Amino acid sequence: MRVAKLNMVQAINLALHEEMERDPDVIVMGEDVGVDGGVFRVTEGLLNKFGSERVIDTPLAESGIVGTAIGMAVYGLKPVAEIQFEGFSYMTIDQLAAHASRIRNRSRGTYHCPMVIRSPYGGGVRALEHHSEAVATFYIHIPGMKVVIPSSPYDAKGLLISAIRDPDPVFFFEPKRLYRAFREEVPEGEYTVPLGEGKKLTEGDDVTLISWGAMARVCLEALKLVKDVSVELIDLCTLSPLDDKIITESVRKTGRAVIVHEEPRTLGLGAEIIARINEKAFLYLEAPVKRVTGYDVPVPLPKLEDYYLPDAERVADAIKEVATF
Amino acid sequence: MRVAKLNMVQAINLALHEEMERDPDVIVMGEDVGVDGGVFRVTEGLLNKFGSERVIDTPLAESGIVGTAIGMAVYGLKPVAEIQFEGFSYMTIDQLAAHASRIRNRSRGTYHCPMVIRSPYGGGVRALEHHSEAVATFYIHIPGMKVVIPSSPYDAKGLLISAIRDPDPVFFFEPKRLYRAFREEVPEGEYTVPLGEGKKLTEGDDVTLISWGAMARVCLEALKLVKDVSVELIDLCTLSPLDDKIITESVRKTGRAVIVHEEPRTLGLGAEIIARINEKAFLYLEAPVKRVTGYDVPVPLPKLEDYYLPDAERVADAIKEVATF
Amino acid sequence: MPRKKILELSVDWLSILDPEGNVDESLEPDLDKGTLEKIYRTMVLTRLFDDKALKLQRQGRMYTFGASLGQEATTVGSAFALNPDDWFFPAFREQGAQIARGIPIKLLYIYWMGSEDAYIGMPLRNFTIAIPVSTQILHAVGAAWAAKIKKEKIASIVYFGDGATSEGDFHEGMNFAGVFKTPTVFICQNNQYAISLPRERQTASKTLAQKALAYGFEGIQVDGNDALAVYSATKAALEKARSGGGPTLIECFTYRLGAHTTSDDPTKYRQMVEVEEWKKKDPIKRFQLYLAKKGIWSQDYEDKLIKELTAEIEKAVEEAEAYKPGVENIFKYVYAEMPSNLKEQMDELLAYISKKTEG
Amino acid sequence: MPRKKILELSVDWLSILDPEGNVDESLEPDLDKGTLEKIYRTMVLTRLFDDKALKLQRQGRMYTFGASLGQEATTVGSAFALNPDDWFFPAFREQGAQIARGIPIKLLYIYWMGSEDAYIGMPLRNFTIAIPVSTQILHAVGAAWAAKIKKEKIASIVYFGDGATSEGDFHEGMNFAGVFKTPTVFICQNNQYAISLPRERQTASKTLAQKALAYGFEGIQVDGNDALAVYSATKAALEKARSGGGPTLIECFTYRLGAHTTSDDPTKYRQMVEVEEWKKKDPIKRFQLYLAKKGIWSQDYEDKLIKELTAEIEKAVEEAEAYKPGVENIFKYVYAEMPSNLKEQMDELLAYISKKTEG
Ligand SMILES: Cc1ncc(C[n+]2csc(CCOP(=O)(O)OP(=O)(O)O)c2C)c(N)n1
Ligand SMILES: Cc1ncc(C[n+]2csc(CCOP(=O)(O)OP(=O)(O)O)c2C)c(N)n1
Ligand SMILES: [Mg+2]
Ligand SMILES: [Mg+2]
């Protein structure tokens, strides 16, 4: 198997190429995904290779994209629909919450809805309003949905392949700040990273550090600032269903935890993680779990954006605080 | 001041009458709110009294209702918009998350958006699909929104008046199961129940029980089953912004807490409450906080609905479990 | 010519059978006796199904239900134009079409008695009932589009009301259908009301059919109480769709004779005289007169039919009432594979239930 | 007549000034010299504003920005038809209209340099830029409706692109406007592309103007590169609106000469020859020729104007770049009164910042 150094855009693009090659039912649709190759170039080359019936430039209508993708999925295709920016995904919530996520249950398995919604996610690229949001909560809270966010090119490819092959609807968020942030070795050809499983980026005994997406990279940076604390960094990869096991086992070991996310604090996934820790590792806890998060405000426009996003120092401070509680 | 025994529908209706009387800028709009008086009769009599320019039967379009209400609010009216059932409120999330909640911030106070969205909420009435959902999380997680849910006729009137007078957008959920469940004394004329403040329905020392809406009534029933435990029952009334103070003070006293809600467990408000308790009362906790909630599934159709909804026994069991942990 | 007319558009009306059962022979569809009888039978069964459902609801044996009294020609006439391999997307007032599609009425009763289990064993290509108004339109467009992509020569049909035309999803679905020329037939059941809102206050356009013009395809208004007109228009639209001609919007001009649902009180918003006027245009009566003229229908025929259908309904209701779904079904179908949080929650519930039953 | 045409509808086209600057005198609006000069000045300022913004962005002094090159007649022509007390709802490519409305360009630069503080001191009735496509349409309808309810004889104007017509909110807004006859003028800037998607693939309708017919009101297509046509059509629509005649959709047929935004590469999806063709129809050039024929414009006039406007821009940029928003602004305006969670979070951030600056 050939291996190349790819950034996340390339890794996702490769996954799409390979899955479309493998399975003629996989189609890609969304605004500007065809001729333009996507505003981030994630779908580049697909139109040329697979033609306009499988790589579809849609009209500008997010509910329309997701709603028609549902019909396609029910019919037997596997649509991979792009929502151009996460801030426009709100328009898809109705079709996802009222339909995609329920079709299997509502029809008692007679129909199901194997589809992926891809969308860039999160801040850090100095973008327009609505282009820097972290919106996972809306989708995690919908029963029947799965939510995935990779933090590296390798995982992005492997998780996206899993998402495409998953028989249920998956919202696949792509931390846009990592799109071209770094390269790593990504094998060509088939491999998967399983949905529903977190992974340890570092092992440690003192503090469990939990994150995902771009914030997982910020956490890695933060570790350089807290050399004296032994930190176990967990990258959740899948936010729904949540990997309770990896969290619980780690916190039972360390007794301390810090959660880092871009979402506004209130009802960001951090809240649920704390609740699960409370339920499954209460007696092991030696300090309150600490959240380092976006604030309960709209993401500021670029001039003040850096103040909003958790950075390595804020994370490091939190680790120290929790470690010495 | 005259006082009458009213049910929740009547109390809300009275609040609307009085506020419309008081302030000519208050208008009511939504599907079937005029001629029909609302599918639950909440807006009955308003059309006759205030005319079709202030009591507006709209076309069938939820985003349209909320989006135009935003324009009205910005212009200087105070729209009270009804979404006929909470399961159709998903269609309003975009206008609320992208606009209503941000207009003040985005315009740095040049514009603001004083509006109320009213919607029935929750299960227990044997209704069609999408008519029994508890959807507060979606709105609590939006910075700039307020979210209110009353549990009694008296509070419903007082909270709705506060919501209408609030200068920011408020989602006001009405637990439909309580619409006609009981009557209590509701004064005519002006009084308010403040937003942002929970209230104690009982005082107690052993366990803090936190709930809102119809579940607050279920909690009251549950108390009859646990006579030997001294329970402090808090009705949050406002879910956003959350009344940290009342929760923290109570848990610091009791060291134990149970949270009851209809929402699916994952990222229901219970999660955030646990996170806040963890942050503000960690050292006082003597047992893991327990959640009694809806499950992470679509609300079942009527035949199995009762299994989904927390009932007094489930709550009582949880109280006992936590009390004896 | 700096100011000039650059575009002219128009909308047609179609009716074939008048309220007295007289047929316009130039337009009469070529249907054999057996099919005509089936259409009639299905319309009558639909009405009896509704009547029974309303009774059951009043007796507390069923939950909220929306009858289709007066709309049977629209639902049944259109569904008879379908091929079995066409895809069918109902809203919530299409029992006529569902019965025409061969869905056992027992399953329909199970659904309206409050169980998703109605869909276990449902004949395929008949999609689930959509409660959120207009949302199903996109699914029908997506399915038709998928058929096109997979080179399968079928069409999809989708039903919705006059009220549904105001929703964003209607617009987005119609527009996608126009752009991608999906083989979709849009059946708008214009029954003049969306709960209490009369059609004229739903939109300022003169017809609903003309809305198709905004998407570059044909819209036609048909007499929705005329099963032959509905059948013919639908048949033509389906054939056009299957042969690559793209979508059609058919506005079926009809009337809801009953309440919106069992929770509704129509006296709040409309006059009895209006209802009486429309009763004269009853679609079943009209078809009956037509069949009588053809020598198919007689009072005897009617009595036998009613007896047979009533028995069918009683049996279906009995079976539906006997049906008891298992509690695990709450959890079993949410995902293909049950995640750990659901397993835990299911175990929690099952333990609670067994404690309760023991206690 | 069982099959009959029941409705005929049509759409008009309007142009007044041709690409050579020749005017159709029968349609020429009655504008005095001062106003004509102001229109020209504003179009030129808009273009210079855009040019400067593109340069700043390339130098890393500004963020993503969508220029309006080629669309100045549409934005400026329409905005000049407004009264100061009309309400204005832009999308994100209406700098021309914003400048015409008297918004200081310094504020526009502050916004595009990434600060909400641009809105501090913004002249009223000029609503915030709307990034999510088509969502602002509903606000404009709501504001117009409010004006109607409050018996204030003003209109609202709302801008959006060809792409926006596909969104549900466009539909819902148009429909509400039709039903409630709100005094709203809908300006669709049809610049032929929504990022890479050409107009013909956005919708299958022949014009965008005809979409108004679905809502029971008038739609007109005007030459969007002709400031006089845009002005006249908008003026007429606004007057109709203010006097109770209800809404109008004006499709301004124009072209985006530049990239969608600074992040876009239009060579991916269109041919240079197409751009060249449209450059010949440049709205500013055309107006210049018109003014020249009227004896208003000359090369001297132009040189002086450019010099003056360039200085104005340089000053605005300087001031905008000097502007530094305070960190508390992140928290201060979310609610009228700051709730405790925000207070805590603000304190947390301020403490972190002061630790960092000390450390
Ligand atoms: C999105 C949405 N909003 C509101 C409702 C509540 N509701 C149910 S039926 C109905 C009216 C539907 O009218 P129409 O489309 O004409 O269909 P009809 O009921 O007349 O068959 C409404 C408002 C709903 N089901 N879905
Ligand atoms: C709801 C939404 N979806 C997607 C986008 C991303 N986006 C920004 S502009 C644009 C194209 C808009 O096209 P059009 O309406 O024709 O306006 P134009 O850019 O041509 O002025 C898109 C897809 C957005 N801003 N909002
Ligand atoms: Mg109707
Ligand atoms: Mg455009």
Side-chain angles (χ1 to χ4, degrees), chain B residues 36-310:
Chain B
D36 198 42
V39 293
F40 287 104
R41 305 284 169 254
V42 172
T43 52
E44 194 139 77
L46 295 175
L47 177 66
N48 273 348
K49 188 134 170 223
F50 300 104
S52 62
E53 288 222 314
R54 292 184 62 203
V55 182
I56 306 169
D57 277 319
T58 66
L60 211 176
E62 287 71 17
S63 185
I65 291 168
V66 169
T68 53
I70 290 171
M72 291 176 161
V74 166
Y75 193 94
L77 293 179
K78 297 193 170 176
V80 181
E82 176 175 310
I83 296 300
Q84 200 163 72
F85 285 93
E86 70 281 20
F88 314 126
S89 72
Y90 305 127
M91 297 169 179
T92 72
I93 294 178
D94 182 61
Q95 282 289 343
L96 293 173
H99 292 297
S101 62
R102 299 179 184 227
I103 283 170
R104 182 186 292 280
N105 181 65
R106 176 190 294 150
S107 72
R108 291 297 189 239
T110 301
Y111 302 101
H112 68 295
C113 192
M115 64 191 280
V116 177
I117 303 102
R118 293 179 39 248
S119 184
Y121 164 92
V125 301
R126 305 266 181 277
L128 300 176
E129 198 187 353
H130 308 286
H131 290 62
S132 304
E133 289 166 26
V135 297
T137 284
F138 295 98
Y139 307 97
I140 298 169
H141 187 58
I142 298 174
M145 284 293 301
K146 297 187 176 180
V147 179
V148 174
I149 309 187
S151 75
S152 75
Y154 178 91
D155 284 357
K157 182 180 168 193
L159 287 166
L160 181 55
I161 292 177
S162 296
I164 292 172
R165 297 181 187 182
D166 196 271
D168 289 310
V170 180
F171 212 130
F172 188 87
F173 286 111
E174 302 166 1
K176 60 176 92 70
R177 179 182 180 176
L178 300 183
Y179 265 155
R180 296 168 192 283
F182 66 100
R183 291 163 182 267
E184 70 180 2
E185 298 202 334
V186 176
E188 269 182 28
E190 170 155 338
Y191 70 91
T192 58
V193 174
L195 304 192
E197 293 181 21
K199 55 161 74 173
K200 292 182 192 166
L201 299 189
T202 64
E203 306 235 5
D205 298 312
D206 298 340
V207 173
T208 302
L209 181 60
I210 303 168
S211 194
W212 59 87
M215 288 300 115
R217 309 297 307 179
V218 169
C219 287
L220 277 175
E221 270 176 69
L223 294 191
K224 297 182 199 148
L225 308 176
V226 285
K227 294 254 165 70
D228 42 338
V229 188
S230 167
V231 177
E232 183 145 297
L233 173 55
I234 295 172
D235 177 358
L236 286 177
C237 303
T238 298
L239 308 195
S240 172
L242 196 55
D243 185 353
D244 280 356
K245 194 157 161 277
I246 196 169
I247 297 169
T248 312
E249 280 177 8
S250 181
V251 175
R252 285 185 180 177
K253 176 173 66 177
T254 61
R256 298 165 198 269
V258 174
I259 302 159
V260 183
H261 62 65
E262 292 182 47
E263 269 79 5
R265 186 165 305 165
T266 295
L267 282 175
L269 183 59
E272 181 64 29
I273 296 170
I274 293 177
R276 303 261 177 118
I277 292 173
N278 154 83
E279 280 155 9
K280 304 190 170 189
F282 179 77
L283 290 176
Y284 300 82
L285 271 186
E286 291 171 47
V289 180
K290 175 94 188 164
R291 293 188 283 182
V292 182
T293 67
Y295 303 113
D296 290 331
V297 304
V299 181
L301 290 185
K303 278 229 167 127
L304 297 178
E305 186 189 9
D306 283 346
Y307 293 109
Y308 175 88
L309 288 173

Side-chain angles (χ1 to χ4, degrees), chain A residues 32 44 62 296 311 317, chain D residues 116 167 196 268 345 352 355:
Chain A
D32 308 291
E44 193 140 77
E62 287 72 16
D296 291 331
D311 61 18
D317 287 355
Chain D
E116 300 84 349
E167 288 279 7
S196 70
K268 288 234 152 207
Q345 292 172 15
Y352 169 68
K355 192 203 95 180

Side-chain angles (χ1 to χ4, degrees), chain D residues 328-347:
Chain D
E328 323 76 47
N329 286 3
I330 294 177
F331 302 93
K332 251 171 74 179
Y333 297 96
V334 181
Y335 296 93
E337 218 180 296
M338 204 185 290
S340 64
N341 56 325
L342 285 193
K343 277 199 203 102
E344 288 169 19
Q345 292 172 15
M346 184 170 78
D347 291 346

